[in-house]
PDB file of all heavy atoms in Angstrom:
ATOM      1  N   ALA A  20      96.460 100.205 111.124  1.00 84.00           N
ATOM      2  CA  ALA A  20      97.562  99.786 110.366  1.00 84.00           C
ATOM      3  C   ALA A  20      98.846  99.515 111.296  1.00 84.00           C
ATOM      4  O   ALA A  20      99.502  98.502 111.138  1.00 84.00           O
ATOM      5  CB  ALA A  20      97.991 100.661 109.337  1.00 84.00           C
ATOM      6  N   VAL A  21      99.024 100.484 112.246  1.00 82.00           N
ATOM      7  CA  VAL A  21     100.281 100.305 113.104  1.00 82.00           C
ATOM      8  C   VAL A  21     100.026  99.007 113.974  1.00 82.00           C
ATOM      9  O   VAL A  21     100.951  98.221 114.295  1.00 82.00           O
ATOM     10  CB  VAL A  21     100.356 101.561 113.968  1.00 82.00           C
ATOM     11  CG1 VAL A  21     101.354 101.309 115.087  1.00 82.00           C
ATOM     12  CG2 VAL A  21     100.761 102.674 113.086  1.00 82.00           C
ATOM     13  N   LEU A  22      98.770  98.921 114.618  1.00 81.00           N
ATOM     14  CA  LEU A  22      98.536  97.783 115.372  1.00 81.00           C
ATOM     15  C   LEU A  22      98.659  96.456 114.630  1.00 81.00           C
ATOM     16  O   LEU A  22      99.224  95.400 115.125  1.00 81.00           O
ATOM     17  CB  LEU A  22      96.963  97.841 115.954  1.00 81.00           C
ATOM     18  CG  LEU A  22      96.733  98.845 116.924  1.00 81.00           C
ATOM     19  CD1 LEU A  22      95.300  98.978 117.276  1.00 81.00           C
ATOM     20  CD2 LEU A  22      97.562  98.591 118.194  1.00 81.00           C
ATOM     21  N   ALA A  23      98.194  96.301 113.367  1.00 80.00           N
ATOM     22  CA  ALA A  23      98.304  95.123 112.546  1.00 80.00           C
ATOM     23  C   ALA A  23      99.746  94.851 112.216  1.00 80.00           C
ATOM     24  O   ALA A  23     100.166  93.690 112.363  1.00 80.00           O
ATOM     25  CB  ALA A  23      97.570  95.368 111.258  1.00 80.00           C
ATOM     26  N   LEU A  24     100.495  95.871 111.934  1.00 87.00           N
ATOM     27  CA  LEU A  24     101.936  95.573 111.762  1.00 87.00           C
ATOM     28  C   LEU A  24     102.629  95.197 113.055  1.00 87.00           C
ATOM     29  O   LEU A  24     103.477  94.224 112.877  1.00 87.00           O
ATOM     30  CB  LEU A  24     102.544  96.986 111.171  1.00 87.00           C
ATOM     31  CG  LEU A  24     102.229  97.386 109.784  1.00 87.00           C
ATOM     32  CD1 LEU A  24     102.752  98.641 109.463  1.00 87.00           C
ATOM     33  CD2 LEU A  24     102.799  96.314 108.767  1.00 87.00           C
ATOM     34  N   ALA A  25     102.283  95.830 114.111  1.00 85.00           N
ATOM     35  CA  ALA A  25     102.964  95.375 115.359  1.00 85.00           C
ATOM     36  C   ALA A  25     102.644  93.877 115.708  1.00 85.00           C
ATOM     37  O   ALA A  25     103.517  93.131 116.062  1.00 85.00           O
ATOM     38  CB  ALA A  25     102.593  96.213 116.438  1.00 85.00           C
ATOM     39  N   VAL A  26     101.341  93.531 115.599  1.00 82.00           N
ATOM     40  CA  VAL A  26     100.967  92.135 115.921  1.00 82.00           C
ATOM     41  C   VAL A  26     101.498  91.145 114.767  1.00 82.00           C
ATOM     42  O   VAL A  26     102.009  90.124 115.028  1.00 82.00           O
ATOM     43  CB  VAL A  26      99.471  92.065 115.941  1.00 82.00           C
ATOM     44  CG1 VAL A  26      98.949  90.568 116.122  1.00 82.00           C
ATOM     45  CG2 VAL A  26      98.805  92.851 117.084  1.00 82.00           C
ATOM     46  N   GLY A  27     101.490  91.664 113.437  1.00 83.00           N
ATOM     47  CA  GLY A  27     101.886  90.756 112.348  1.00 83.00           C
ATOM     48  C   GLY A  27     103.434  90.508 112.451  1.00 83.00           C
ATOM     49  O   GLY A  27     103.824  89.549 111.844  1.00 83.00           O
ATOM     50  N   SER A  28     104.198  91.336 113.092  1.00 86.00           N
ATOM     51  CA  SER A  28     105.659  91.070 113.141  1.00 86.00           C
ATOM     52  C   SER A  28     105.911  89.840 114.016  1.00 86.00           C
ATOM     53  O   SER A  28     106.929  89.229 113.775  1.00 86.00           O
ATOM     54  CB  SER A  28     106.321  92.218 113.754  1.00 86.00           C
ATOM     55  OG  SER A  28     105.872  92.524 115.125  1.00 86.00           O
ATOM     56  N   ARG A  29     104.880  89.427 114.834  1.00 84.00           N
ATOM     57  CA  ARG A  29     105.017  88.235 115.689  1.00 84.00           C
ATOM     58  C   ARG A  29     104.216  87.013 115.184  1.00 84.00           C
ATOM     59  O   ARG A  29     104.613  85.948 115.261  1.00 84.00           O
ATOM     60  CB  ARG A  29     104.599  88.610 117.159  1.00 84.00           C
ATOM     61  CG  ARG A  29     105.463  89.639 117.845  1.00 84.00           C
ATOM     62  CD  ARG A  29     104.881  89.906 119.134  1.00 84.00           C
ATOM     63  NE  ARG A  29     105.778  90.909 119.930  1.00 84.00           N
ATOM     64  CZ  ARG A  29     106.768  90.578 120.710  1.00 84.00           C
ATOM     65  NH1 ARG A  29     107.097  89.219 120.782  1.00 84.00           N
ATOM     66  NH2 ARG A  29     107.511  91.420 121.250  1.00 84.00           N
ATOM     67  N   ASN A  30     103.029  87.350 114.545  1.00 85.00           N
ATOM     68  CA  ASN A  30     102.187  86.398 114.028  1.00 85.00           C
ATOM     69  C   ASN A  30     101.435  86.966 112.861  1.00 85.00           C
ATOM     70  O   ASN A  30     100.473  87.815 112.983  1.00 85.00           O
ATOM     71  CB  ASN A  30     101.150  85.950 115.109  1.00 85.00           C
ATOM     72  CG  ASN A  30     100.366  84.767 114.690  1.00 85.00           C
ATOM     73  OD1 ASN A  30      99.746  84.800 113.614  1.00 85.00           O
ATOM     74  ND2 ASN A  30     100.313  83.571 115.542  1.00 85.00           N
ATOM     75  N   ARG A  31     101.895  86.526 111.715  1.00 84.00           N
ATOM     76  CA  ARG A  31     101.368  87.052 110.410  1.00 84.00           C
ATOM     77  C   ARG A  31      99.806  86.946 110.263  1.00 84.00           C
ATOM     78  O   ARG A  31      99.053  87.826 109.927  1.00 84.00           O
ATOM     79  CB  ARG A  31     102.003  86.500 109.201  1.00 84.00           C
ATOM     80  CG  ARG A  31     101.571  86.998 107.891  1.00 84.00           C
ATOM     81  CD  ARG A  31     102.259  86.458 106.735  1.00 84.00           C
ATOM     82  NE  ARG A  31     103.758  86.875 106.766  1.00 84.00           N
ATOM     83  CZ  ARG A  31     104.619  86.543 105.957  1.00 84.00           C
ATOM     84  NH1 ARG A  31     104.278  85.758 104.914  1.00 84.00           N
ATOM     85  NH2 ARG A  31     105.855  86.941 106.125  1.00 84.00           N
ATOM     86  N   LEU A  32      99.274  85.705 110.695  1.00 85.00           N
ATOM     87  CA  LEU A  32      97.871  85.436 110.523  1.00 85.00           C
ATOM     88  C   LEU A  32      97.092  86.438 111.542  1.00 85.00           C
ATOM     89  O   LEU A  32      96.012  86.961 111.168  1.00 85.00           O
ATOM     90  CB  LEU A  32      97.607  84.009 110.854  1.00 85.00           C
ATOM     91  CG  LEU A  32      95.975  83.701 110.799  1.00 85.00           C
ATOM     92  CD1 LEU A  32      95.456  83.918 109.453  1.00 85.00           C
ATOM     93  CD2 LEU A  32      95.909  82.193 111.302  1.00 85.00           C
ATOM     94  N   LEU A  33      97.560  86.583 112.719  1.00 84.00           N
ATOM     95  CA  LEU A  33      96.990  87.303 113.715  1.00 84.00           C
ATOM     96  C   LEU A  33      96.951  88.834 113.275  1.00 84.00           C
ATOM     97  O   LEU A  33      95.993  89.588 113.390  1.00 84.00           O
ATOM     98  CB  LEU A  33      97.510  87.196 115.071  1.00 84.00           C
ATOM     99  CG  LEU A  33      96.840  87.834 116.260  1.00 84.00           C
ATOM    100  CD1 LEU A  33      95.359  87.172 116.351  1.00 84.00           C
ATOM    101  CD2 LEU A  33      97.531  87.484 117.506  1.00 84.00           C
ATOM    102  N   GLY A  34      98.033  89.235 112.615  1.00 78.00           N
ATOM    103  CA  GLY A  34      98.161  90.582 112.160  1.00 78.00           C
ATOM    104  C   GLY A  34      97.119  90.843 111.111  1.00 78.00           C
ATOM    105  O   GLY A  34      96.554  91.975 111.026  1.00 78.00           O
ATOM    106  N   VAL A  35      96.844  89.872 110.146  1.00 83.00           N
ATOM    107  CA  VAL A  35      95.785  90.006 109.132  1.00 83.00           C
ATOM    108  C   VAL A  35      94.437  90.218 109.813  1.00 83.00           C
ATOM    109  O   VAL A  35      93.683  90.945 109.364  1.00 83.00           O
ATOM    110  CB  VAL A  35      95.887  88.773 108.166  1.00 83.00           C
ATOM    111  CG1 VAL A  35      94.726  88.875 107.236  1.00 83.00           C
ATOM    112  CG2 VAL A  35      97.178  88.725 107.371  1.00 83.00           C
ATOM    113  N   LEU A  36      94.244  89.329 110.729  1.00 84.00           N
ATOM    114  CA  LEU A  36      92.895  89.369 111.524  1.00 84.00           C
ATOM    115  C   LEU A  36      92.748  90.742 112.156  1.00 84.00           C
ATOM    116  O   LEU A  36      91.626  91.279 112.133  1.00 84.00           O
ATOM    117  CB  LEU A  36      92.880  88.264 112.597  1.00 84.00           C
ATOM    118  CG  LEU A  36      92.806  86.762 112.049  1.00 84.00           C
ATOM    119  CD1 LEU A  36      92.777  85.891 113.155  1.00 84.00           C
ATOM    120  CD2 LEU A  36      91.573  86.677 111.199  1.00 84.00           C
ATOM    121  N   VAL A  37      93.799  91.269 112.717  1.00 79.00           N
ATOM    122  CA  VAL A  37      93.742  92.642 113.307  1.00 79.00           C
ATOM    123  C   VAL A  37      93.398  93.564 112.296  1.00 79.00           C
ATOM    124  O   VAL A  37      92.543  94.542 112.550  1.00 79.00           O
ATOM    125  CB  VAL A  37      95.007  92.947 114.115  1.00 79.00           C
ATOM    126  CG1 VAL A  37      94.997  94.514 114.533  1.00 79.00           C
ATOM    127  CG2 VAL A  37      95.133  92.053 115.385  1.00 79.00           C
ATOM    128  N   ALA A  38      94.075  93.593 111.203  1.00 81.00           N
ATOM    129  CA  ALA A  38      93.810  94.548 110.114  1.00 81.00           C
ATOM    130  C   ALA A  38      92.373  94.460 109.567  1.00 81.00           C
ATOM    131  O   ALA A  38      91.721  95.486 109.397  1.00 81.00           O
ATOM    132  CB  ALA A  38      94.848  94.302 108.904  1.00 81.00           C
ATOM    133  N   VAL A  39      91.858  93.291 109.392  1.00 83.00           N
ATOM    134  CA  VAL A  39      90.500  93.067 108.828  1.00 83.00           C
ATOM    135  C   VAL A  39      89.498  93.614 109.954  1.00 83.00           C
ATOM    136  O   VAL A  39      88.525  94.316 109.622  1.00 83.00           O
ATOM    137  CB  VAL A  39      90.244  91.497 108.475  1.00 83.00           C
ATOM    138  CG1 VAL A  39      88.747  91.473 108.232  1.00 83.00           C
ATOM    139  CG2 VAL A  39      91.129  91.199 107.316  1.00 83.00           C
ATOM    140  N   GLY A  40      89.738  93.099 111.134  1.00 78.00           N
ATOM    141  CA  GLY A  40      88.813  93.505 112.294  1.00 78.00           C
ATOM    142  C   GLY A  40      88.790  95.063 112.437  1.00 78.00           C
ATOM    143  O   GLY A  40      87.638  95.681 112.553  1.00 78.00           O
ATOM    144  N   SER A  41      90.000  95.729 112.328  1.00 76.00           N
ATOM    145  CA  SER A  41      90.049  97.139 112.457  1.00 76.00           C
ATOM    146  C   SER A  41      89.337  97.904 111.269  1.00 76.00           C
ATOM    147  O   SER A  41      88.538  98.843 111.580  1.00 76.00           O
ATOM    148  CB  SER A  41      91.543  97.667 112.515  1.00 76.00           C
ATOM    149  OG  SER A  41      92.124  97.053 113.594  1.00 76.00           O
ATOM    150  N   GLY A  42      89.455  97.329 110.102  1.00 76.00           N
ATOM    151  CA  GLY A  42      88.833  97.934 109.002  1.00 76.00           C
ATOM    152  C   GLY A  42      87.335  97.816 109.080  1.00 76.00           C
ATOM    153  O   GLY A  42      86.565  98.752 108.680  1.00 76.00           O
ATOM    154  N   ALA A  43      86.848  96.617 109.508  1.00 77.00           N
ATOM    155  CA  ALA A  43      85.422  96.401 109.660  1.00 77.00           C
ATOM    156  C   ALA A  43      84.759  97.327 110.661  1.00 77.00           C
ATOM    157  O   ALA A  43      83.745  97.926 110.578  1.00 77.00           O
ATOM    158  CB  ALA A  43      85.232  94.885 110.062  1.00 77.00           C
ATOM    159  N   LEU A  44      85.509  97.531 111.838  1.00 74.00           N
ATOM    160  CA  LEU A  44      85.066  98.373 112.853  1.00 74.00           C
ATOM    161  C   LEU A  44      84.856  99.791 112.458  1.00 74.00           C
ATOM    162  O   LEU A  44      83.969 100.506 112.675  1.00 74.00           O
ATOM    163  CB  LEU A  44      85.923  98.304 114.186  1.00 74.00           C
ATOM    164  CG  LEU A  44      85.714  97.011 115.056  1.00 74.00           C
ATOM    165  CD1 LEU A  44      86.735  96.977 116.124  1.00 74.00           C
ATOM    166  CD2 LEU A  44      84.224  97.001 115.590  1.00 74.00           C
ATOM    167  N   ILE A  45      86.029 100.310 111.701  1.00 74.00           N
ATOM    168  CA  ILE A  45      85.934 101.605 111.262  1.00 74.00           C
ATOM    169  C   ILE A  45      84.837 101.763 110.214  1.00 74.00           C
ATOM    170  O   ILE A  45      84.082 102.782 110.146  1.00 74.00           O
ATOM    171  CB  ILE A  45      87.254 102.043 110.590  1.00 74.00           C
ATOM    172  CG1 ILE A  45      88.335 101.947 111.698  1.00 74.00           C
ATOM    173  CG2 ILE A  45      87.301 103.275 109.894  1.00 74.00           C
ATOM    174  CD1 ILE A  45      89.834 101.981 111.156  1.00 74.00           C
ATOM    175  N   TYR A  46      84.619 100.828 109.371  1.00 77.00           N
ATOM    176  CA  TYR A  46      83.547 100.836 108.401  1.00 77.00           C
ATOM    177  C   TYR A  46      82.187 100.962 108.994  1.00 77.00           C
ATOM    178  O   TYR A  46      81.389 101.739 108.567  1.00 77.00           O
ATOM    179  CB  TYR A  46      83.599  99.713 107.413  1.00 77.00           C
ATOM    180  CG  TYR A  46      82.527  99.648 106.448  1.00 77.00           C
ATOM    181  CD1 TYR A  46      82.536 100.405 105.279  1.00 77.00           C
ATOM    182  CD2 TYR A  46      81.386  98.742 106.610  1.00 77.00           C
ATOM    183  CE1 TYR A  46      81.524 100.370 104.290  1.00 77.00           C
ATOM    184  CE2 TYR A  46      80.330  98.706 105.736  1.00 77.00           C
ATOM    185  CZ  TYR A  46      80.350  99.552 104.581  1.00 77.00           C
ATOM    186  OH  TYR A  46      79.305  99.515 103.772  1.00 77.00           O
TER     187      TYR A  46
END
């Protein structure tokens, strides 16, 4: 979540991708 927020503050779409990718890896 911290990584997604940090990336999303610069690029919202990329932040969403980081959040989805992180969730998928953790799953």
